[in-house]
Amino acid sequence: MNIVIYSKESLEIIARPIITTLKEFKENPTRFYPDWDDKKHIWDELEYQNPVFENNVLREATKEELYKAGKYTLNSNELIENGKIKTVELSEFEYIEDNQIKFKKEDKIEKLKQELYELRIEREKKPFEFEVDGKKYLQHNRTIDQSNITKILFSLVLSFVLRLMGKISKGQKLDFSQVMTDLMATEYSNWKFYTEDGSEKYVNVSVQKFIEMSEIMRKHTTTSMVAETTLSHGLESKTVEELKTFNAEIEYNKLFESEMKQS
């Protein structure tokens, strides 16, 4: 077996002699290491990377001792507390500087703003329930849906006006109230809705229903933007603790529902 011999003065390793037993080494150290000197040398069964000789006992240096000696660099989650190196659990955007836990407030705000933006986009596109002839369907609120409704309404109104002008040119008398009723009842064939199970349903939809549908889309889009803007602007005035606990999804949904009820 081996033992390790250190210099008492420098604590450097000066030899690793092979011995038979510890008992025999203790009885006669020079048998295994001829230069042995009790005043200059100490020994141990272990090889220490950073040995400390204290109270006649060799041991490994603590992190605190290494830190004071400039041989240890604190990890990103360590600080000194009452002379001891303490490992702390840092939340997102927390960091240690000058031995104090600090918080990247602006970075947290930017992340929350991005989350609120994504929630707005998701909410605007989210399908809503819409009823036609007593049956309920799901309608998306995508840009393409809004654009298609606008085109269809324009086409239906234009066709209706052209037919109306034809009647006028023939000298027919028109009742304005009846004209508006007929216009609102004008239908577009096979508008695609969805059901809860994801299947497609093609339904005839009137001008009146398209207008109602368009208004719901506008309302959802506007309310969603208001919710995002209001919450985003409010982040700047929040404390660090408030930002840490701010749940973008919960706050967004709560404000969105509140705004929908009021509008």
Side-chain angles (χ1 to χ4, degrees):
M1 63 179 293
N2 288 82
I3 62 166
V4 183
I5 296 177
Y6 300 83
S7 164
K8 274 189 177 180
E9 182 178 354
S10 66
L11 295 181
E12 293 180 355
I13 295 174
I14 57 176
R16 297 181 180 84
I18 298 175
I19 65 173
T20 50
T21 66
L22 288 175
K23 180 180 179 182
E24 291 180 345
F25 175 78
K26 292 175 182 178
E27 290 173 351
N28 186 11
T30 56
R31 174 186 168 190
F32 303 97
Y33 183 62
D35 294 331
W36 176 261
D37 186 333
D38 287 327
K39 295 180 180 180
K40 295 181 179 180
H41 304 142
I42 50 177
W43 68 273
D44 202 289
E45 295 178 74
L46 302 176
E47 182 173 327
Y48 299 103
Q49 298 298 313
N50 297 283
V52 172
F53 188 53
E54 184 179 60
N55 298 324
N56 290 319
V57 175
L58 266 174
R59 61 173 175 79
E60 190 71 54
T62 64
K63 287 198 296 185
E64 287 79 6
E65 290 168 334
L66 293 173
Y67 177 73
K68 289 179 181 178
K71 296 181 179 180
Y72 180 80
T73 301
L74 294 177
N75 292 323
S76 60
N77 64 335
E78 291 180 329
L79 49 74
I80 304 295
E81 188 176 276
N82 298 323
K84 297 290 185 180
I85 295 177
K86 179 181 178 181
T87 301
V88 295
E89 186 175 344
L90 298 173
S91 64
E92 189 179 23
F93 299 111
E94 281 187 331
Y95 66 102
I96 296 174
E97 184 178 88
D98 298 329
N99 206 45
Q100 292 183 334
I101 297 176
K102 298 184 178 181
F103 189 74
K104 297 178 182 177
K105 185 175 180 179
E106 292 305 315
D107 289 353
K108 177 64 172 179
I109 288 174
E110 286 306 309
K111 182 184 180 184
L112 289 174
K113 284 183 176 179
Q114 180 62 30
E115 290 178 5
L116 289 169
Y117 168 77
E118 291 171 0
L119 285 164
R120 172 174 73 82
I121 298 301
E122 181 182 351
R123 171 63 74 169
E124 288 178 7
K125 295 179 179 180
K126 189 175 180 180
F128 57 89
E129 196 173 70
F130 192 74
E131 185 174 320
V132 178
D133 295 331
K135 294 182 180 180
K136 293 181 179 180
Y137 305 97
L138 291 179
Q139 171 61 51
H140 287 282
N141 189 22
R142 301 166 300 191
T143 301
I144 188 172
D145 297 302
Q146 297 174 15
S147 176
N148 285 339
I149 289 177
T150 300
K151 291 176 182 178
I152 289 170
L153 280 174
F154 179 79
S155 177
L156 291 175
V157 172
L158 179 60
S159 297
F160 184 85
V161 169
L162 291 176
R163 291 195 301 271
L164 199 63
M165 290 177 65
K167 292 180 181 180
I168 294 173
S169 66
K170 293 178 181 179
Q172 294 184 20
K173 292 183 179 181
L174 303 175
D175 180 282
F176 180 74
S177 178
Q178 186 60 47
V179 168
M180 290 305 298
T181 299
D182 292 342
L183 172 60
M184 291 302 173
T186 302
E187 290 187 335
Y188 174 82
S189 299
N190 296 325
W191 175 261
K192 183 170 68 175
F193 285 113
Y194 292 89
T195 59
E196 290 289 351
D197 63 6
S199 61
E200 300 175 356
K201 294 292 182 181
Y202 292 87
V203 181
N204 292 349
V205 180
S206 67
V207 168
Q208 177 66 45
K209 282 296 181 179
F210 273 127
I211 292 175
E212 291 176 13
M213 196 189 307
S214 182
E215 177 59 21
I216 293 173
M217 289 178 172
R218 182 203 63 77
K219 185 177 178 180
H220 276 213
T221 300
T222 301
T223 303
S224 184
M225 291 178 65
V226 168
E228 180 208 358
T229 302
T230 301
L231 291 172
S232 292
H233 288 175
L235 293 173
E236 302 292 343
S237 61
K238 290 190 179 298
T239 65
V240 167
E241 290 306 313
E242 287 174 332
L243 288 172
K244 286 180 180 180
T245 58
F246 186 87
N247 187 305
E249 184 174 6
I250 290 176
E251 296 300 325
Y252 181 88
N253 289 336
K254 183 168 64 177
L255 183 57
F256 179 86
E257 296 301 332
S258 175
E259 291 289 331
M260 284 293 290
K261 289 177 182 178
Q262 294 178 27
S263 59

mmCIF file with all atom_site columns, all heavy atoms in Angstrom, residues 43-60:
data_model
loop_
_atom_site.group_PDB
_atom_site.id
_atom_site.type_symbol
_atom_site.label_atom_id
_atom_site.label_alt_id
_atom_site.label_comp_id
_atom_site.label_asym_id
_atom_site.label_entity_id
_atom_site.label_seq_id
_atom_site.pdbx_PDB_ins_code
_atom_site.Cartn_x
_atom_site.Cartn_y
_atom_site.Cartn_z
_atom_site.occupancy
_atom_site.B_iso_or_equiv
_atom_site.pdbx_formal_charge
_atom_site.auth_seq_id
_atom_site.auth_comp_id
_atom_site.auth_asym_id
_atom_site.auth_atom_id
_atom_site.pdbx_PDB_model_num
ATOM 1   N N   . TRP A 1 43 ? 2.430   12.737 7.397  1.00 0.00 ? 43 TRP A N   1
ATOM 2   C CA  . TRP A 1 43 ? 1.960   11.735 6.437  1.00 0.00 ? 43 TRP A CA  1
ATOM 3   C C   . TRP A 1 43 ? 0.460   11.510 6.583  1.00 0.00 ? 43 TRP A C   1
ATOM 4   O O   . TRP A 1 43 ? -0.147  11.838 7.592  1.00 0.00 ? 43 TRP A O   1
ATOM 5   C CB  . TRP A 1 43 ? 2.714   10.405 6.611  1.00 0.00 ? 43 TRP A CB  1
ATOM 6   C CG  . TRP A 1 43 ? 2.387   9.721  7.921  1.00 0.00 ? 43 TRP A CG  1
ATOM 7   C CD1 . TRP A 1 43 ? 2.989   9.920  9.130  1.00 0.00 ? 43 TRP A CD1 1
ATOM 8   C CD2 . TRP A 1 43 ? 1.365   8.753  8.134  1.00 0.00 ? 43 TRP A CD2 1
ATOM 9   N NE1 . TRP A 1 43 ? 2.415   9.154  10.099 1.00 0.00 ? 43 TRP A NE1 1
ATOM 10  C CE2 . TRP A 1 43 ? 1.405   8.406  9.509  1.00 0.00 ? 43 TRP A CE2 1
ATOM 11  C CE3 . TRP A 1 43 ? 0.424   8.142  7.316  1.00 0.00 ? 43 TRP A CE3 1
ATOM 12  C CZ2 . TRP A 1 43 ? 0.540   7.487  10.082 1.00 0.00 ? 43 TRP A CZ2 1
ATOM 13  C CZ3 . TRP A 1 43 ? -0.437  7.214  7.884  1.00 0.00 ? 43 TRP A CZ3 1
ATOM 14  C CH2 . TRP A 1 43 ? -0.379  6.893  9.239  1.00 0.00 ? 43 TRP A CH2 1
ATOM 15  N N   . ASP A 1 44 ? -0.111  10.911 5.560  1.00 0.00 ? 44 ASP A N   1
ATOM 16  C CA  . ASP A 1 44 ? -1.537  10.573 5.595  1.00 0.00 ? 44 ASP A CA  1
ATOM 17  C C   . ASP A 1 44 ? -1.787  9.473  4.576  1.00 0.00 ? 44 ASP A C   1
ATOM 18  O O   . ASP A 1 44 ? -1.011  9.296  3.625  1.00 0.00 ? 44 ASP A O   1
ATOM 19  C CB  . ASP A 1 44 ? -2.402  11.793 5.258  1.00 0.00 ? 44 ASP A CB  1
ATOM 20  C CG  . ASP A 1 44 ? -3.826  11.646 5.787  1.00 0.00 ? 44 ASP A CG  1
ATOM 21  O OD1 . ASP A 1 44 ? -4.574  10.816 5.224  1.00 0.00 ? 44 ASP A OD1 1
ATOM 22  O OD2 . ASP A 1 44 ? -4.194  12.357 6.731  1.00 0.00 ? 44 ASP A OD2 1
ATOM 23  N N   . GLU A 1 45 ? -2.862  8.752  4.798  1.00 0.00 ? 45 GLU A N   1
ATOM 24  C CA  . GLU A 1 45 ? -3.222  7.708  3.835  1.00 0.00 ? 45 GLU A CA  1
ATOM 25  C C   . GLU A 1 45 ? -3.831  8.312  2.569  1.00 0.00 ? 45 GLU A C   1
ATOM 26  O O   . GLU A 1 45 ? -3.836  7.678  1.513  1.00 0.00 ? 45 GLU A O   1
ATOM 27  C CB  . GLU A 1 45 ? -4.238  6.745  4.464  1.00 0.00 ? 45 GLU A CB  1
ATOM 28  C CG  . GLU A 1 45 ? -3.687  5.960  5.640  1.00 0.00 ? 45 GLU A CG  1
ATOM 29  C CD  . GLU A 1 45 ? -4.763  5.073  6.251  1.00 0.00 ? 45 GLU A CD  1
ATOM 30  O OE1 . GLU A 1 45 ? -5.095  4.047  5.608  1.00 0.00 ? 45 GLU A OE1 1
ATOM 31  O OE2 . GLU A 1 45 ? -5.265  5.429  7.332  1.00 0.00 ? 45 GLU A OE2 1
ATOM 32  N N   . LEU A 1 46 ? -4.342  9.545  2.687  1.00 0.00 ? 46 LEU A N   1
ATOM 33  C CA  . LEU A 1 46 ? -5.024  10.179 1.566  1.00 0.00 ? 46 LEU A CA  1
ATOM 34  C C   . LEU A 1 46 ? -4.151  11.241 0.903  1.00 0.00 ? 46 LEU A C   1
ATOM 35  O O   . LEU A 1 46 ? -3.300  11.866 1.553  1.00 0.00 ? 46 LEU A O   1
ATOM 36  C CB  . LEU A 1 46 ? -6.332  10.835 2.038  1.00 0.00 ? 46 LEU A CB  1
ATOM 37  C CG  . LEU A 1 46 ? -7.347  9.911  2.717  1.00 0.00 ? 46 LEU A CG  1
ATOM 38  C CD1 . LEU A 1 46 ? -8.538  10.732 3.201  1.00 0.00 ? 46 LEU A CD1 1
ATOM 39  C CD2 . LEU A 1 46 ? -7.797  8.819  1.755  1.00 0.00 ? 46 LEU A CD2 1
ATOM 40  N N   . GLU A 1 47 ? -4.401  11.433 -0.375 1.00 0.00 ? 47 GLU A N   1
ATOM 41  C CA  . GLU A 1 47 ? -3.721  12.489 -1.105 1.00 0.00 ? 47 GLU A CA  1
ATOM 42  C C   . GLU A 1 47 ? -4.695  13.657 -1.284 1.00 0.00 ? 47 GLU A C   1
ATOM 43  O O   . GLU A 1 47 ? -5.724  13.523 -1.937 1.00 0.00 ? 47 GLU A O   1
ATOM 44  C CB  . GLU A 1 47 ? -3.259  11.985 -2.477 1.00 0.00 ? 47 GLU A CB  1
ATOM 45  C CG  . GLU A 1 47 ? -2.497  13.055 -3.254 1.00 0.00 ? 47 GLU A CG  1
ATOM 46  C CD  . GLU A 1 47 ? -1.883  12.507 -4.540 1.00 0.00 ? 47 GLU A CD  1
ATOM 47  O OE1 . GLU A 1 47 ? -1.491  11.314 -4.544 1.00 0.00 ? 47 GLU A OE1 1
ATOM 48  O OE2 . GLU A 1 47 ? -1.805  13.272 -5.519 1.00 0.00 ? 47 GLU A OE2 1
ATOM 49  N N   . TYR A 1 48 ? -4.386  14.775 -0.665 1.00 0.00 ? 48 TYR A N   1
ATOM 50  C CA  . TYR A 1 48 ? -5.262  15.941 -0.699 1.00 0.00 ? 48 TYR A CA  1
ATOM 51  C C   . TYR A 1 48 ? -4.860  16.890 -1.822 1.00 0.00 ? 48 TYR A C   1
ATOM 52  O O   . TYR A 1 48 ? -3.677  17.130 -2.052 1.00 0.00 ? 48 TYR A O   1
ATOM 53  C CB  . TYR A 1 48 ? -5.210  16.678 0.645  1.00 0.00 ? 48 TYR A CB  1
ATOM 54  C CG  . TYR A 1 48 ? -5.671  15.841 1.808  1.00 0.00 ? 48 TYR A CG  1
ATOM 55  C CD1 . TYR A 1 48 ? -4.741  15.276 2.697  1.00 0.00 ? 48 TYR A CD1 1
ATOM 56  C CD2 . TYR A 1 48 ? -7.021  15.596 2.027  1.00 0.00 ? 48 TYR A CD2 1
ATOM 57  C CE1 . TYR A 1 48 ? -5.167  14.499 3.766  1.00 0.00 ? 48 TYR A CE1 1
ATOM 58  C CE2 . TYR A 1 48 ? -7.449  14.814 3.095  1.00 0.00 ? 48 TYR A CE2 1
ATOM 59  C CZ  . TYR A 1 48 ? -6.510  14.273 3.954  1.00 0.00 ? 48 TYR A CZ  1
ATOM 60  O OH  . TYR A 1 48 ? -6.934  13.490 5.013  1.00 0.00 ? 48 TYR A OH  1
ATOM 61  N N   . GLN A 1 49 ? -5.881  17.419 -2.498 1.00 0.00 ? 49 GLN A N   1
ATOM 62  C CA  . GLN A 1 49 ? -5.610  18.386 -3.559 1.00 0.00 ? 49 GLN A CA  1
ATOM 63  C C   . GLN A 1 49 ? -5.197  19.736 -2.981 1.00 0.00 ? 49 GLN A C   1
ATOM 64  O O   . GLN A 1 49 ? -4.343  20.425 -3.523 1.00 0.00 ? 49 GLN A O   1
ATOM 65  C CB  . GLN A 1 49 ? -6.856  18.556 -4.439 1.00 0.00 ? 49 GLN A CB  1
ATOM 66  C CG  . GLN A 1 49 ? -7.289  17.291 -5.152 1.00 0.00 ? 49 GLN A CG  1
ATOM 67  C CD  . GLN A 1 49 ? -6.221  16.791 -6.100 1.00 0.00 ? 49 GLN A CD  1
ATOM 68  O OE1 . GLN A 1 49 ? -5.644  17.548 -6.878 1.00 0.00 ? 49 GLN A OE1 1
ATOM 69  N NE2 . GLN A 1 49 ? -5.945  15.503 -6.031 1.00 0.00 ? 49 GLN A NE2 1
ATOM 70  N N   . ASN A 1 50 ? -5.838  20.092 -1.874 1.00 0.00 ? 50 ASN A N   1
ATOM 71  C CA  . ASN A 1 50 ? -5.532  21.362 -1.210 1.00 0.00 ? 50 ASN A CA  1
ATOM 72  C C   . ASN A 1 50 ? -5.438  21.090 0.294  1.00 0.00 ? 50 ASN A C   1
ATOM 73  O O   . ASN A 1 50 ? -6.372  21.376 1.058  1.00 0.00 ? 50 ASN A O   1
ATOM 74  C CB  . ASN A 1 50 ? -6.626  22.394 -1.491 1.00 0.00 ? 50 ASN A CB  1
ATOM 75  C CG  . ASN A 1 50 ? -6.736  22.746 -2.962 1.00 0.00 ? 50 ASN A CG  1
ATOM 76  O OD1 . ASN A 1 50 ? -5.932  23.500 -3.495 1.00 0.00 ? 50 ASN A OD1 1
ATOM 77  N ND2 . ASN A 1 50 ? -7.732  22.167 -3.615 1.00 0.00 ? 50 ASN A ND2 1
ATOM 78  N N   . PRO A 1 51 ? -4.312  20.534 0.727  1.00 0.00 ? 51 PRO A N   1
ATOM 79  C CA  . PRO A 1 51 ? -4.178  20.102 2.131  1.00 0.00 ? 51 PRO A CA  1
ATOM 80  C C   . PRO A 1 51 ? -4.087  21.276 3.108  1.00 0.00 ? 51 PRO A C   1
ATOM 81  O O   . PRO A 1 51 ? -3.551  22.342 2.794  1.00 0.00 ? 51 PRO A O   1
ATOM 82  C CB  . PRO A 1 51 ? -2.891  19.291 2.125  1.00 0.00 ? 51 PRO A CB  1
ATOM 83  C CG  . PRO A 1 51 ? -2.099  19.853 0.993  1.00 0.00 ? 51 PRO A CG  1
ATOM 84  C CD  . PRO A 1 51 ? -3.097  20.231 -0.054 1.00 0.00 ? 51 PRO A CD  1
ATOM 85  N N   . VAL A 1 52 ? -4.665  21.049 4.288  1.00 0.00 ? 52 VAL A N   1
ATOM 86  C CA  . VAL A 1 52 ? -4.572  21.985 5.407  1.00 0.00 ? 52 VAL A CA  1
ATOM 87  C C   . VAL A 1 52 ? -4.137  21.179 6.625  1.00 0.00 ? 52 VAL A C   1
ATOM 88  O O   . VAL A 1 52 ? -4.685  20.102 6.895  1.00 0.00 ? 52 VAL A O   1
ATOM 89  C CB  . VAL A 1 52 ? -5.943  22.669 5.678  1.00 0.00 ? 52 VAL A CB  1
ATOM 90  C CG1 . VAL A 1 52 ? -5.863  23.494 6.964  1.00 0.00 ? 52 VAL A CG1 1
ATOM 91  C CG2 . VAL A 1 52 ? -6.332  23.561 4.515  1.00 0.00 ? 52 VAL A CG2 1
ATOM 92  N N   . PHE A 1 53 ? -3.139  21.712 7.356  1.00 0.00 ? 53 PHE A N   1
ATOM 93  C CA  . PHE A 1 53 ? -2.656  21.043 8.565  1.00 0.00 ? 53 PHE A CA  1
ATOM 94  C C   . PHE A 1 53 ? -3.126  21.860 9.763  1.00 0.00 ? 53 PHE A C   1
ATOM 95  O O   . PHE A 1 53 ? -2.679  22.981 9.992  1.00 0.00 ? 53 PHE A O   1
ATOM 96  C CB  . PHE A 1 53 ? -1.131  20.937 8.542  1.00 0.00 ? 53 PHE A CB  1
ATOM 97  C CG  . PHE A 1 53 ? -0.565  20.096 9.640  1.00 0.00 ? 53 PHE A CG  1
ATOM 98  C CD1 . PHE A 1 53 ? -1.013  18.798 9.848  1.00 0.00 ? 53 PHE A CD1 1
ATOM 99  C CD2 . PHE A 1 53 ? 0.439   20.607 10.476 1.00 0.00 ? 53 PHE A CD2 1
ATOM 100 C CE1 . PHE A 1 53 ? -0.486  18.013 10.859 1.00 0.00 ? 53 PHE A CE1 1
ATOM 101 C CE2 . PHE A 1 53 ? 0.972   19.822 11.482 1.00 0.00 ? 53 PHE A CE2 1
ATOM 102 C CZ  . PHE A 1 53 ? 0.512   18.526 11.678 1.00 0.00 ? 53 PHE A CZ  1
ATOM 103 N N   . GLU A 1 54 ? -4.062  21.285 10.495 1.00 0.00 ? 54 GLU A N   1
ATOM 104 C CA  . GLU A 1 54 ? -4.679  22.014 11.600 1.00 0.00 ? 54 GLU A CA  1
ATOM 105 C C   . GLU A 1 54 ? -4.873  21.071 12.771 1.00 0.00 ? 54 GLU A C   1
ATOM 106 O O   . GLU A 1 54 ? -5.406  19.973 12.599 1.00 0.00 ? 54 GLU A O   1
ATOM 107 C CB  . GLU A 1 54 ? -6.026  22.594 11.142 1.00 0.00 ? 54 GLU A CB  1
ATOM 108 C CG  . GLU A 1 54 ? -6.718  23.458 12.176 1.00 0.00 ? 54 GLU A CG  1
ATOM 109 C CD  . GLU A 1 54 ? -8.028  24.013 11.637 1.00 0.00 ? 54 GLU A CD  1
ATOM 110 O OE1 . GLU A 1 54 ? -8.913  23.203 11.285 1.00 0.00 ? 54 GLU A OE1 1
ATOM 111 O OE2 . GLU A 1 54 ? -8.159  25.247 11.558 1.00 0.00 ? 54 GLU A OE2 1
ATOM 112 N N   . ASN A 1 55 ? -4.427  21.539 13.944 1.00 0.00 ? 55 ASN A N   1
ATOM 113 C CA  . ASN A 1 55 ? -4.536  20.709 15.169 1.00 0.00 ? 55 ASN A CA  1
ATOM 114 C C   . ASN A 1 55 ? -3.917  19.329 14.958 1.00 0.00 ? 55 ASN A C   1
ATOM 115 O O   . ASN A 1 55 ? -4.496  18.312 15.331 1.00 0.00 ? 55 ASN A O   1
ATOM 116 C CB  . ASN A 1 55 ? -5.995  20.570 15.597 1.00 0.00 ? 55 ASN A CB  1
ATOM 117 C CG  . ASN A 1 55 ? -6.618  21.911 15.946 1.00 0.00 ? 55 ASN A CG  1
ATOM 118 O OD1 . ASN A 1 55 ? -5.952  22.780 16.506 1.00 0.00 ? 55 ASN A OD1 1
ATOM 119 N ND2 . ASN A 1 55 ? -7.887  22.072 15.600 1.00 0.00 ? 55 ASN A ND2 1
ATOM 120 N N   . ASN A 1 56 ? -2.759  19.351 14.284 1.00 0.00 ? 56 ASN A N   1
ATOM 121 C CA  . ASN A 1 56 ? -1.993  18.122 14.014 1.00 0.00 ? 56 ASN A CA  1
ATOM 122 C C   . ASN A 1 56 ? -2.764  17.124 13.148 1.00 0.00 ? 56 ASN A C   1
ATOM 123 O O   . ASN A 1 56 ? -2.510  15.919 13.200 1.00 0.00 ? 56 ASN A O   1
ATOM 124 C CB  . ASN A 1 56 ? -1.579  17.436 15.328 1.00 0.00 ? 56 ASN A CB  1
ATOM 125 C CG  . ASN A 1 56 ? -0.518  18.243 16.069 1.00 0.00 ? 56 ASN A CG  1
ATOM 126 O OD1 . ASN A 1 56 ? 0.407   18.788 15.445 1.00 0.00 ? 56 ASN A OD1 1
ATOM 127 N ND2 . ASN A 1 56 ? -0.659  18.330 17.381 1.00 0.00 ? 56 ASN A ND2 1
ATOM 128 N N   . VAL A 1 57 ? -3.716  17.634 12.384 1.00 0.00 ? 57 VAL A N   1
ATOM 129 C CA  . VAL A 1 57 ? -4.495  16.763 11.508 1.00 0.00 ? 57 VAL A CA  1
ATOM 130 C C   . VAL A 1 57 ? -4.484  17.353 10.097 1.00 0.00 ? 57 VAL A C   1
ATOM 131 O O   . VAL A 1 57 ? -4.670  18.564 9.896  1.00 0.00 ? 57 VAL A O   1
ATOM 132 C CB  . VAL A 1 57 ? -5.951  16.637 11.997 1.00 0.00 ? 57 VAL A CB  1
ATOM 133 C CG1 . VAL A 1 57 ? -6.779  15.813 11.005 1.00 0.00 ? 57 VAL A CG1 1
ATOM 134 C CG2 . VAL A 1 57 ? -5.982  15.994 13.380 1.00 0.00 ? 57 VAL A CG2 1
ATOM 135 N N   . LEU A 1 58 ? -4.240  16.469 9.148  1.00 0.00 ? 58 LEU A N   1
ATOM 136 C CA  . LEU A 1 58 ? -4.321  16.887 7.741  1.00 0.00 ? 58 LEU A CA  1
ATOM 137 C C   . LEU A 1 58 ? -5.750  16.730 7.247  1.00 0.00 ? 58 LEU A C   1
ATOM 138 O O   . LEU A 1 58 ? -6.422  15.758 7.568  1.00 0.00 ? 58 LEU A O   1
ATOM 139 C CB  . LEU A 1 58 ? -3.397  16.014 6.878  1.00 0.00 ? 58 LEU A CB  1
ATOM 140 C CG  . LEU A 1 58 ? -1.987  16.525 6.597  1.00 0.00 ? 58 LEU A CG  1
ATOM 141 C CD1 . LEU A 1 58 ? -1.200  15.443 5.865  1.00 0.00 ? 58 LEU A CD1 1
ATOM 142 C CD2 . LEU A 1 58 ? -1.995  17.811 5.795  1.00 0.00 ? 58 LEU A CD2 1
ATOM 143 N N   . ARG A 1 59 ? -6.201  17.677 6.455  1.00 0.00 ? 59 ARG A N   1
ATOM 144 C CA  . ARG A 1 59 ? -7.536  17.601 5.874  1.00 0.00 ? 59 ARG A CA  1
ATOM 145 C C   . ARG A 1 59 ? -7.563  18.410 4.566  1.00 0.00 ? 59 ARG A C   1
ATOM 146 O O   . ARG A 1 59 ? -6.620  19.156 4.261  1.00 0.00 ? 59 ARG A O   1
ATOM 147 C CB  . ARG A 1 59 ? -8.590  18.148 6.840  1.00 0.00 ? 59 ARG A CB  1
ATOM 148 C CG  . ARG A 1 59 ? -8.392  19.612 7.204  1.00 0.00 ? 59 ARG A CG  1
ATOM 149 C CD  . ARG A 1 59 ? -9.553  20.140 8.023  1.00 0.00 ? 59 ARG A CD  1
ATOM 150 N NE  . ARG A 1 59 ? -9.325  21.500 8.486  1.00 0.00 ? 59 ARG A NE  1
ATOM 151 C CZ  . ARG A 1 59 ? -9.483  22.598 7.755  1.00 0.00 ? 59 ARG A CZ  1
ATOM 152 N NH1 . ARG A 1 59 ? -9.867  22.501 6.483  1.00 0.00 ? 59 ARG A NH1 1
ATOM 153 N NH2 . ARG A 1 59 ? -9.266  23.801 8.275  1.00 0.00 ? 59 ARG A NH2 1
ATOM 154 N N   . GLU A 1 60 ? -8.629  18.235 3.836  1.00 0.00 ? 60 GLU A N   1
ATOM 155 C CA  . GLU A 1 60 ? -8.820  19.000 2.608  1.00 0.00 ? 60 GLU A CA  1
ATOM 156 C C   . GLU A 1 60 ? -9.329  20.405 2.979  1.00 0.00 ? 60 GLU A C   1
ATOM 157 O O   . GLU A 1 60 ? -10.143 20.564 3.883  1.00 0.00 ? 60 GLU A O   1
ATOM 158 C CB  . GLU A 1 60 ? -9.838  18.300 1.707  1.00 0.00 ? 60 GLU A CB  1
ATOM 159 C CG  . GLU A 1 60 ? -9.928  18.873 0.301  1.00 0.00 ? 60 GLU A CG  1
ATOM 160 C CD  . GLU A 1 60 ? -8.706  18.563 -0.548 1.00 0.00 ? 60 GLU A CD  1
ATOM 161 O OE1 . GLU A 1 60 ? -8.338  17.382 -0.679 1.00 0.00 ? 60 GLU A OE1 1
ATOM 162 O OE2 . GLU A 1 60 ? -8.109  19.522 -1.058 1.00 0.00 ? 60 GLU A OE2 1
#
